[in-house]
Amino acid sequence: MTAIIIGQMMIHSRDWMDEYFTKIPDVVTAHKGKFRVRGGDPMGMEGDNPVPDAAFIIEFPDRNHAEAFWKSDEFQSLAALRRSGSTLNAILVNAIE
């Protein structure tokens, strides 16, 4: 079953962004993932949570691929870089087939 990672990011500084956004597409692709939304110009529709600066949706063939991506050394290295200037809320969900 297709799995989706949904993320909402608050950006606090931009020092990390060039390196991160240059490298992340190849890491996603290496794990058979596809960006469906990247950045996305978020707009609040309902609720009291702050609207994130950026959002992403990444599709994977299944949960195993999504979890392997998230736990990979390549992604975790980039995640450490990303954390130097942002905060992220991310969830993994199953897609409707």
Side-chain angles (χ1 to χ4, degrees):
M1 175 177 285
T2 302
I4 307 286
I5 296 176
I6 303 169
Q8 298 180 343
M9 186 182 307
M10 298 299 285
I11 298 170
H12 309 296
S13 73
R14 299 192 175 277
D15 300 340
W16 57 277
M17 293 176 71
D18 286 343
E19 181 178 355
Y20 182 87
F21 288 116
T22 297
K23 293 180 178 178
I24 194 66
D26 290 340
V27 178
V28 169
T29 300
H31 291 273
K32 301 192 185 319
K34 297 177 189 173
F35 275 102
R36 295 302 187 192
V37 173
R38 186 172 170 198
D41 192 19
M43 179 179 82
M45 299 295 287
E46 185 173 336
D48 297 326
N49 291 339
V51 175
D53 297 311
F56 64 84
I57 297 173
I58 309 171
E59 178 182 309
F60 291 90
D62 53 45
R63 288 180 87 95
N64 289 338
H65 281 88
E67 290 183 56
F69 158 75
W70 202 267
K71 294 175 183 176
S72 71
D73 290 341
E74 299 85 3
F75 176 71
Q76 286 302 313
S77 175
L78 289 174
L81 175 64
R82 185 196 69 237
R83 288 183 199 110
S84 72
S86 70
T87 53
L88 175 69
N89 289 313
I91 60 171
L92 174 61
V93 296
N94 293 331
I96 296 173
E97 299 287 334

